[in-house]
Amino acid sequence: MNWFVFKFIPASIKDRPLAVVVATGTVSAAAYGILSVISQRQHPLPFWIFAGIFALTTILWAGTYLALGQSILSRRSLGAILFFAVAFRIAGLFGAPIYEDDYFRYLWDGRMFATTGSPYLTPPSAAFGDDTLPPAFDQILGRINNPEIPTIYGPFCELIFLAGYWIAPGELWPLKLLFLLADLGVLWLLWRMLGPSRALLIYAWCPLLIKEVAFTPHTDILATFFLVLAFERANHWRGSASAAALAAAVVSRLLAGIFVPLLLWRSRRAWLIFFAAIAASYAPFLIHGGAGAGSMSTFASQWEFNSFVFGLLKPVAGEDIARIICFCAFPIFYVWMWKKRRDLLDPAILLGVFFLLSPVVNPWYLVMLVPFVALRPTAWGIAAIATILISYATAGNLGISGMGLYDHPIWVRPLELLPVIAAAIWERRIKPGLASPDRGALYPPPMSASLQTGLATESQRALE
């Protein structure tokens, strides 16, 4: 995308990357700080405030990335990017969750795990009318969505919920801190894989992460950390460590399972380690009475939100047939790509196709996409993680009567998807050699020794 940047961005801006980072970072930090204060005072948050702040920070995020025309950053520019990345997350840490209530389930699961030994045994509704509940948890219980369904979160997530309960029962801040540690852990892994590349800014300043991890904590960041760790270890030919990390990602979020063939196909030992780790994670809960399989089945067969291909097929083929078609289409695409163009099996593409076919595409699902867009920046990937926040424009948040709370006005999904399609088409028309130079190497295959030496030399010169 550099040719586009150098054509339209004034030289006075391109030649002062540190000034650009400081200016846009300061404005973004102020915007997130204002959002933090307002979120604590107004419930629910007026949608125009939400839309305005995230539109502003998204423009600044994408604009800063484009303005940093050089792929390798100076020490000062990198330091400024990391400073503001932490500042944005601190603002979210002190802010209230926005348009989400999943965290009440996290708090409840932590207590159930601590008091009964397993969070999977009974649904929250079984505790209705329990006079022995502490007042704080009685309020939490009353705000859990779908209380008749037992928890669907994986074993590692439940361990984090338990840790949060041990630190401060019924309080959200311990979970926010733990999730932010995972978030910053991903940033550290990306730095190991990319070096001082401007592509780090894609992850470090991503507004989606600020919303879905710092303000409103979601468990997807846990799976994302282990998934990126699995790729980082595989890139260094550490198959056993990669398999163990991948297992942790899967028991945090089943979606990470789509990367199992991509990472493990070379090694029988890695497969054994992977399945042994999965079995060890689930065995204590299965022995204790279950691990949420029934709840996951209900989710997969009944729920729908922000769907794309499924939403188009449902009125034509019916809900059941549409689910079957979408369920079968992804593995068909996977096998076709594996046999024909394995070299193009980019994790971001796999996730993008999965989300395109999925009946449920909550915005926080795309947290997992962000690091892979940073590793191999694409216009369509940046567009996808920028526009997904539009899905919060539901009838309930907009105050539209006569529709379901989570229904979308007709303009929402085209506004989400069309920029992604346009970006993908635009990118396909770029002549070879004009694409962004900071597309990092991702397993498989690892970077060649000569490429690693060249990047290290260039990075060292930039830091001197």
Side-chain angles (χ1 to χ4, degrees), residues 165-178:
Y165 178 85
W166 282 341
I167 295 171
E171 296 289 338
L172 184 57
W173 65 265
L175 293 180
K176 278 195 169 190
L177 282 177
L178 293 171

Side-chain angles (χ1 to χ4, degrees), residues 172-308:
L172 184 57
W173 65 265
L175 293 180
K176 278 195 169 190
L177 282 177
L178 293 171
F179 288 7
L180 284 175
L181 286 176
D183 179 26
L184 294 175
V186 175
L187 183 57
W188 174 72
L189 289 170
L190 292 177
W191 180 82
R192 285 176 55 88
M193 299 172 79
L194 289 170
S197 168
R198 69 164 182 166
L200 283 174
L201 184 133
I202 293 177
Y203 187 91
W205 285 20
C206 180
L208 177 65
L209 295 176
I210 307 305
K211 163 64 179 71
E212 305 300 354
V213 181
F215 277 93
T216 312
H218 281 289
T219 60
D220 297 68
I221 192 59
L222 304 175
T224 300
F225 169 76
F226 286 113
L227 185 58
V228 176
L229 177 61
F231 275 91
E232 190 271 341
R233 290 291 81 195
N235 201 29
H236 288 81
W237 298 103
R238 299 293 189 268
S240 298
S242 177
L246 182 59
V250 172
V251 299
S252 301
R253 181 85 160 83
L254 289 178
L255 174 57
I258 68 175
F259 299 108
V260 171
L262 190 62
L263 284 168
L264 304 185
W265 71 281
R266 297 172 186 262
S267 171
R268 292 182 180 180
R269 180 183 180 185
W271 282 97
L272 292 174
I273 292 173
F274 172 77
F275 283 114
I278 294 289
S281 299
Y282 277 101
F285 298 103
L286 292 172
I287 293 172
H288 212 71
S295 301
M296 186 57 66
S297 176
T298 300
F299 170 83
S301 62
Q302 297 181 18
W303 291 3
E304 177 191 0
F305 176 77
N306 199 37
S307 61
F308 298 101

